């Protein structure tokens, strides 16, 4: 099985497992569907520079998990913010929908965001915008999020929308589920838009791994079920952003019980999770 291949680097699953001294096993879900489970030691790893875009596939129509240890580096640092309690920080919780899952070639077609202030979701402060990707939306992707070519025709393009979302999220901590994917999509547009997001970032996927380590599934639907959060508008950017905000608010007191009280605590704990050790 090839995990990654380009003109400069080739990595097989066997190479990856051997390099990281990982363990690999078969897993089965309640539908008797087979999958691979890879366990990697938590020790710091020295990855070859060429190891990028490693993706662990999930069930059909579920976005793969992208992990990036660098998600928490090269961010704006503020000692006062780092020491603030999680419940006191202003957040922008967001999600994107895309034409596909190739972060180098696919395009963003929707951005949704909600604001959390003083531990509450502000119903009156939302960002919800369809985006014309200037390419056709594949049928398989349309089945996933329900957005078709006609819906985005004539909508603003990414050069117009990304600066607006940057302004909406300025001076806040960004929160997303599987945040590395969305942040990678944004970073791929830096040259085109001149926009670079350096906000601190928290990922509810990694935070859920801390709170719910015993659960096998950590996709948004599974975590919402654990946390008792209803998802309205699954696989729409604004629907998933709202659900992620609800999940995040549920996680904050559970993180506190594990001694994770501040932004710095949450970032450091996220860095130590198993999944954060892989780079996309």
């Amino acid at each position: 099985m090839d995990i990654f291949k380009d003109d400069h680097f080739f990595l097989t699953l066997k190479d990856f497992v051997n390099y990281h001294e990982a363990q690999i096993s078969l897993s089965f879900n309640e539908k008797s569907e087979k999958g691979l489970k890879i366990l990697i030691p938590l020790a710091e790893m020295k990855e070859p520079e060429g190891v990028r875009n490693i993706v662990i596939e999930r069930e059909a129509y579920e976005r793969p998990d992208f992990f990036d240890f660098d998600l928490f580096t090269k961010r704006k640092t503020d000692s006062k913010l780092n020491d603030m309690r999680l419940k006191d920080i202003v957040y922008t919780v967001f999600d994107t929908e895309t034409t596909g899952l190739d972060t180098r070639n696919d395009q963003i077609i929707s951005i949704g965001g909600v604001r959390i202030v003083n531990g509450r979701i502000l119903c009156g402060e939302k960002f919800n915008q369809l985006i014309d990707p200037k390419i056709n939306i594949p049928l398989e992707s349309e089945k996933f999020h329900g957005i078709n070519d006609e819906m985005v025709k004539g909508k603003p393009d990414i050069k117009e929308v990304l600066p607006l979302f940057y302004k909406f999220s300025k001076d806040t901590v960004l929160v997303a589920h599987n945040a590395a994917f969305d942040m990678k999509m944004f970073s791929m547009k830096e040259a085109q838009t001149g926009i670079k997001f350096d906000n601190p970032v928290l990922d509810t996927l990694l935070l859920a791994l801390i709170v719910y380590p015993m659960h096998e599934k950590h996709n948004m639907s599974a975590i919402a079920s654990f946390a008792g959060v209803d998802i309205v508008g699954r696989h729409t950017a604004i629907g998933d952003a709202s659900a992620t905000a609800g999940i995040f608010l549920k996680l904050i007191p559970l993180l506190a019980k594990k001694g994770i009280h501040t932004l710095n605590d949450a970032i450091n704990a996220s860095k130590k999770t198993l999944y954060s050790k892989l780079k996309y």
Side-chain angles (χ1 to χ4, degrees), residues 112-212:
V114 299
R115 186 96 69 218
I116 291 179
V117 179
N118 294 325
R120 299 181 62 181
I121 301 171
L122 299 187
C123 297
E125 292 195 33
K126 293 184 178 181
F127 188 97
N128 187 20
Q129 181 62 57
L130 289 174
I131 300 165
D132 187 345
K134 307 299 184 182
I135 62 172
N136 291 329
I137 300 173
L139 180 59
E140 286 305 306
S141 296
E142 181 185 335
K143 290 177 181 177
F144 185 65
H145 46 55
I147 302 174
N148 58 38
D149 293 331
E150 194 61 32
M151 293 169 66
V152 298
K153 185 178 179 180
K155 299 295 182 182
D157 64 17
I158 194 66
K159 290 186 291 185
E160 297 177 72
V161 175
L162 207 57
L164 294 176
F165 182 70
Y166 178 82
K167 184 177 180 180
F168 178 81
S169 62
K170 189 177 181 181
D171 298 326
T172 69
V173 173
L174 293 173
V175 179
H177 188 79
N178 201 3
F181 178 85
D182 303 283
M183 297 308 296
K184 179 65 174 180
M185 293 300 294
F186 285 169
S187 70
M188 295 301 291
K189 297 301 176 184
E190 286 179 14
Q192 183 180 358
T193 65
I195 297 297
K196 182 176 182 178
F197 289 86
D198 58 1
N199 314 49
V201 177
L202 290 176
D203 188 340
T204 52
L205 172 59
L206 301 181
L207 296 176
L209 285 168
I210 300 167
V211 172
Y212 303 115

Side-chain angles (χ1 to χ4, degrees), residues 256-269:
K257 290 182 179 180
K258 292 183 174 290
I260 300 168
H261 301 281
T262 68
L263 176 62
N264 199 49
D265 291 340
I267 290 174
N268 287 333

